[in-house]
Amino acid sequence: SEKFYSWEEVGEITKKALGKGFVLKLPIPHFAVSIAATISEATSKSGNTPPPLNREKVKDIVQDYWICSAEKAKKELGFKEQISLEEGIKETIDWYKSKGWL
């Protein structure tokens, strides 16, 4: 996106796309997320599916911000946002629902 979104904004957009009026937010310590990822990796090794959470994903999850500029892509590649965050989240939710994950 050409716009920067806070986690709060992403959460509100997701809540709206899910049709939820209330979402419970639980602060989880980083070490607990790391432990959960380690357990997830260990238990998924016995199956053929990748773990839903792994230690690489934890590096992304625990960051306060992930912000980058689209300016270089706009200048060098002619980037133009084609799907809004709202549309992208809605499409993602619909896909998860079609797979029975939600």
Side-chain angles (χ1 to χ4, degrees), residues 12-42:
E12 286 299 314
I13 290 167
T14 304
K15 179 176 77 171
K16 183 179 175 184
L18 285 167
K20 303 291 181 184
F22 172 77
V23 176
L24 179 63
K25 297 177 191 175
L26 298 173
I28 302 172
H30 293 177
F31 78 88
V33 177
S34 294
I35 291 169
T38 302
I39 292 168
S40 177
E41 286 179 348

Side-chain angles (χ1 to χ4, degrees), residues 54-67:
N54 63 40
R55 288 173 283 182
E56 280 300 308
K57 288 179 187 173
V58 169
K59 291 177 185 177
D60 293 337
I61 292 170
V62 299
Q63 299 304 312
D64 289 332
Y65 303 99
W66 275 114
I67 297 175

Side-chain angles (χ1 to χ4, degrees), residues 1-7 63-70:
S1 177
E2 298 177 45
K3 180 180 185 268
F4 298 121
Y5 294 92
S6 69
W7 283 121
Q63 299 304 312
D64 289 332
Y65 303 99
W66 275 114
I67 297 175
C68 58
S69 171

Side-chain angles (χ1 to χ4, degrees), residues 34-94:
S34 294
I35 291 169
T38 302
I39 292 168
S40 177
E41 286 179 348
T43 57
S44 72
K45 287 184 180 181
S46 61
N48 293 330
T49 59
L53 180 65
N54 63 40
R55 288 173 283 182
E56 280 300 308
K57 288 179 187 173
V58 169
K59 291 177 185 177
D60 293 337
I61 292 170
V62 299
Q63 299 304 312
D64 289 332
Y65 303 99
W66 275 114
I67 297 175
C68 58
S69 171
E71 290 305 312
K72 187 174 181 181
K74 284 172 27 179
K75 185 174 109 180
E76 294 183 15
L77 304 172
F79 169 79
K80 291 181 183 166
E81 182 178 313
Q82 296 178 355
I83 298 174
S84 68
L85 181 63
E86 292 84 353
E87 291 172 289
I89 287 176
K90 177 73 172 108
E91 286 182 20
T92 301
I93 288 168
D94 291 344

